[in-house]
């Protein structure tokens, strides 16, 4: 079995450059959309109810949940990459965390969004888009 090894570092830098550019474009296109989708009162109520969609269409709910988690985890991975590559790493990680499902999700989201820089950036973008800023208790 033959392994692929680049003949020089030019191949590695080219691949890293293409990957960095792709992550930057995808995050730039998706982050704004996801920020607009967060309800302004999302952090007021820490209770999450069961949606009617889950009860009426359980198979589609599972498919939607799986796709949402895949996108969320991809954004988290991309955000981690953007911590060292060009892009908005922390904001991308935050949006990925909101989309994903995991234990302790709401508590972690509240802790992250209360970070001054994150909240300021998200609310700035929301105000520019004529959407009410995120509020807390």
């Amino acid at each position: 079995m033959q392994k692929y090894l680049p003949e020089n570092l030019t191949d590695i830098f080219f691949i890293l450059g293409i990957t960095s550019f792709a992550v930057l474009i995808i995050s730039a296109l998706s982050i704004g959309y996801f920020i607009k989708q967060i309800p302004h009162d999302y952090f007021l109520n820490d209770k999450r109810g069961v949606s009617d969609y889950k009860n009426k269409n359980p198979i589609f709910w599972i498919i939607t949940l799986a796709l949402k988690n895949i996108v969320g985890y991809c954004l988290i991975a991309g955000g981690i990459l953007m911590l060292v590559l060009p892009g908005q790493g922390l904001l991308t990680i935050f949006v990925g965390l909101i989309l994903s499902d995991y234990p302790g999700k709401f508590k972690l989201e509240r802790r992250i969004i209360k970070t001054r820089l994150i909240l300021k950036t998200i609310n700035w973008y929301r105000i520019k888009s004529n959407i009410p800023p995120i509020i807390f208790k």
Side-chain angles (χ1 to χ4, degrees):
M1 190 182 314
Q2 188 177 14
K3 294 182 181 179
Y4 172 75
L5 295 173
E7 293 185 20
N8 57 30
L9 292 178
T10 307
D11 294 340
I12 293 174
F13 287 128
F14 179 74
I15 291 169
L16 284 175
I18 294 295
T19 304
S20 174
F21 183 73
V23 168
L24 178 66
I25 295 300
I26 291 169
S27 72
L29 295 175
S30 64
I31 295 303
Y33 171 78
F34 290 126
I35 288 174
K36 290 179 189 178
Q37 300 306 312
I38 302 170
H40 74 284
D41 59 352
Y42 179 78
F43 294 101
L44 287 180
N45 187 4
D46 54 350
K47 304 276 188 212
R48 301 286 179 249
V50 177
S51 69
D52 292 335
Y53 185 64
K54 179 180 178 179
N55 295 330
K56 291 179 182 176
N57 300 311
I59 293 174
F60 291 119
W61 178 78
I62 291 172
I63 293 170
T64 304
L65 184 65
L67 289 174
K68 185 179 76 136
N69 279 316
I70 289 169
V71 170
Y73 292 131
C74 287
L75 285 173
I76 292 169
I80 291 170
L81 287 174
M82 281 186 266
L83 292 175
V84 293
L85 300 172
Q88 299 177 345
L90 292 175
L91 200 55
T92 305
I93 291 170
F94 178 70
V95 172
L97 289 172
I98 285 181
L99 284 174
S100 306
D101 290 316
Y102 48 90
K105 172 185 174 179
F106 189 72
K107 191 182 239 183
L108 180 61
E109 288 171 347
R110 281 184 65 101
R111 187 172 178 190
I112 290 173
I113 197 148
K114 284 187 176 181
T115 305
R116 188 173 161 264
L117 180 63
I118 301 273
L119 183 61
K120 182 179 174 184
T121 303
I122 287 175
N123 281 338
W124 175 85
Y125 188 83
R126 291 173 65 89
I127 290 168
K128 288 284 186 186
S129 302
N130 293 324
I131 298 171
I134 292 176
I135 56 175
F136 295 95
K137 287 182 184 179

